[in-house]
Amino acid sequence: MEIFDTTTFIPPFALDIDLETGAMPDATNHLVRNASAMKGHYADSAAFDALVANGDPLHYEVFEKPVPEEYGHLMYCISKLQPGKVGDEFFMTKGHYHTVVQTGEIYLALAGEGFMLMKTQDGQFHYERMQRGRMVYVPPYWAHRSVNTGSEPLISFCVYPGDGGHNYGDIETEGFPGRVFEKNGEIVIE
Amino acid sequence: MEIFDTTTFIPPFALDIDLETGAMPDATNHLVRNASAMKGHYADSAAFDALVANGDPLHYEVFEKPVPEEYGHLMYCISKLQPGKVGDEFFMTKGHYHTVVQTGEIYLALAGEGFMLMKTQDGQFHYERMQRGRMVYVPPYWAHRSVNTGSEPLISFCVYPGDGGHNYGDIETEGFPGRVFEKNGEIVIE
């Protein structure tokens, strides 16, 4: 159990989160991914190349004020995924496993609508609807990717273990077992 | 690192939380503490006895749908603390350390107003204001107790490590280094 001895002592703190917009004014880390960061992730590579050539728009952002990346601490963030499509496929995040694959994550959606796609390394697939007030439990071992199927940003508050880390693993090569498209005005996962 | 191997695999799930009232219809655990559960915690024991004799009102509740209490999982809850006073002292929760003292907790206040009081086993004391949208980071090693200084329930969404557990430790005998009173119409911590 010696990993427990490495947990850093810090004083408590608080910060404000706008529960309508997800604004976190005290965030000190701001991860920005434009469309070009998603190369290889969408089914329609011609539509993707056109989107990048046409201004490479903002895709998603993550806001956080980090704590020690250690056992016992809890990382938290605001995730903000823009609405839009690449061809018929809705905008999504890269998705990740945790480096310590046995660590889960909680997402509490504050605004927008979409899905959380989840998969395991042995091929299981699951998705849950996201909308304001919906909490998605991403258990240990499940990679997770959010997808925005609405017309406004999909905004979530997330919490995960400080020692969890991020691992893109097989996602860049294998993707997820399901993609979310708009076809004939309907949202379909296939 | 053998503790990692004990993390139970479960499928993902989702549930709804009303971001205004904290209602969690899918909760399967409902902890209820009436005033009498708080014996010994308030400064004015005569006022406490009178409150209990006068109907022993609801004090606080915790709503949750449990996941495995193991490393890598994340427990979550809605905490709902009623408004009121015992003599001049505002209603509060018992407060706890985690059994694994090196595990922290995140509280996101949804409604009401009050304070999170925090202390360490070696006597450090810290408090943070709670109000809608305020996230309090309770780091590893800090015991924590919430106090309702408003006229409506103080409602928070909480997340903590699955292996954290609860330990009332020295709180029942030592209390916290500060108490929250109303004196001459002012909120004071002393």
Side-chain angles (χ1 to χ4, degrees):
Chain A
M1 308 281 260
E2 66 281 3
I3 58 163
F4 295 171
D5 300 331
T6 64
T7 302
T8 302
F9 179 87
I10 66 170
F13 63 90
L15 51 75
D16 292 309
I17 296 171
D18 187 310
L19 297 182
E20 314 297 327
T21 67
M24 185 195 278
D26 291 339
T28 53
N29 272 12
H30 181 199
L31 170 71
V32 178
R33 291 202 203 277
N34 287 354
S36 53
M38 295 294 293
K39 186 169 177 62
H41 284 289
Y42 290 99
D44 186 340
S45 59
F48 175 79
D49 291 343
L51 180 72
V52 171
N54 191 21
D56 189 16
L58 177 63
H59 214 70
Y60 66 95
E61 298 160 277
V62 180
F63 301 85
E64 57 187 17
K65 183 179 173 184
V67 293
E69 294 184 41
E70 297 169 352
Y71 172 81
H73 281 280
L74 292 161
M75 296 293 288
Y76 56 90
C77 69
I78 290 290
S79 166
K80 184 175 184 180
L81 172 60
Q82 294 297 315
K85 284 183 287 185
V86 176
D88 294 331
E89 190 174 5
F90 289 104
F91 278 11
M92 59 193 182
T93 62
K94 282 192 166 188
H96 60 270
Y97 297 93
H98 291 156
T99 308
V100 179
V101 73
Q102 300 94 327
T103 55
E105 186 157 350
I106 282 176
Y107 283 80
L108 178 62
L110 302 179
E113 48 192 288
F115 290 92
M116 182 69 75
L117 308 185
M118 291 164 277
K119 72 164 187 172
T120 61
Q121 285 169 324
D122 62 359
Q124 295 185 59
F125 180 57
H126 189 104
Y127 58 86
E128 292 286 350
R129 195 93 179 86
M130 296 181 81
Q131 60 191 33
R132 178 172 172 77
R134 193 123 181 102
M135 192 202 92
V136 177
Y137 190 78
V138 180
Y141 307 106
W142 289 81
H144 40 288
R145 152 181 285 174
S146 46
V147 181
N148 185 344
T149 59
S151 55
E152 302 293 330
L154 176 62
I155 298 167
S156 302
F157 173 64
C158 71
V159 181
Y160 59 100
D163 56 339
H166 290 79
N167 172 16
Y168 297 98
D170 58 10
I171 295 169
E172 295 200 333
T173 53
E174 305 297 324
F176 275 64
R179 295 175 175 276
V180 189
F181 298 99
E182 182 174 69
K183 293 192 174 177
N184 302 315
E186 303 283 324
I187 296 168
V188 297
I189 300 179
E190 59 187 31
Chain B
M1 309 280 262
E2 68 278 4
I3 59 163
F4 296 171
D5 300 331
T6 66
T7 303
T8 302
F9 179 86
I10 66 171
F13 64 90
L15 50 75
D16 291 310
I17 297 172
D18 186 310
L19 298 182
E20 313 298 326
T21 67
M24 185 196 277
D26 291 339
T28 54
N29 272 11
H30 180 200
L31 169 72
V32 178
R33 290 202 204 275
N34 287 354
S36 53
M38 294 296 290
K39 187 171 176 60
H41 284 289
Y42 289 100
D44 185 339
S45 59
F48 176 78
D49 291 343
L51 181 72
V52 172
N54 190 22
D56 190 15
L58 177 64
H59 214 72
Y60 67 95
E61 299 161 277
V62 181
F63 301 85
E64 55 186 20
K65 183 179 174 185
V67 293
E69 295 184 41
E70 296 169 350
Y71 173 82
H73 281 282
L74 292 161
M75 296 294 289
Y76 56 90
C77 69
I78 290 289
S79 166
K80 183 176 183 180
L81 171 61
Q82 294 297 315
K85 284 183 287 184
V86 176
D88 295 331
E89 191 174 4
F90 289 104
F91 278 11
M92 58 192 184
T93 63
K94 281 192 168 189
H96 60 269
Y97 298 92
H98 291 155
T99 307
V100 179
V101 71
Q102 300 92 330
T103 55
E105 185 157 352
I106 282 176
Y107 284 79
L108 179 62
L110 302 179
E113 49 191 286
F115 290 92
M116 183 70 76
L117 308 186
M118 293 164 275
K119 71 164 187 172
T120 61
Q121 286 168 323
D122 62 359
Q124 295 185 59
F125 180 58
H126 189 105
Y127 58 86
E128 291 287 350
R129 195 94 180 85
M130 297 181 81
Q131 61 191 32
R132 179 172 169 77
R134 193 121 182 106
M135 191 202 93
V136 177
Y137 189 78
V138 180
Y141 307 105
W142 289 81
H144 39 289
R145 151 181 286 174
S146 46
V147 181
N148 185 344
T149 58
S151 55
E152 302 293 330
L154 176 63
I155 298 167
S156 301
F157 173 65
C158 70
V159 180
Y160 58 100
D163 56 340
H166 290 79
N167 173 16
Y168 297 98
D170 59 10
I171 295 170
E172 295 200 333
T173 53
E174 305 297 323
F176 275 65
R179 296 176 176 275
V180 189
F181 298 100
E182 182 175 69
K183 295 193 173 178
N184 302 316
E186 302 283 324
I187 295 168
V188 296
I189 300 178
E190 58 187 31

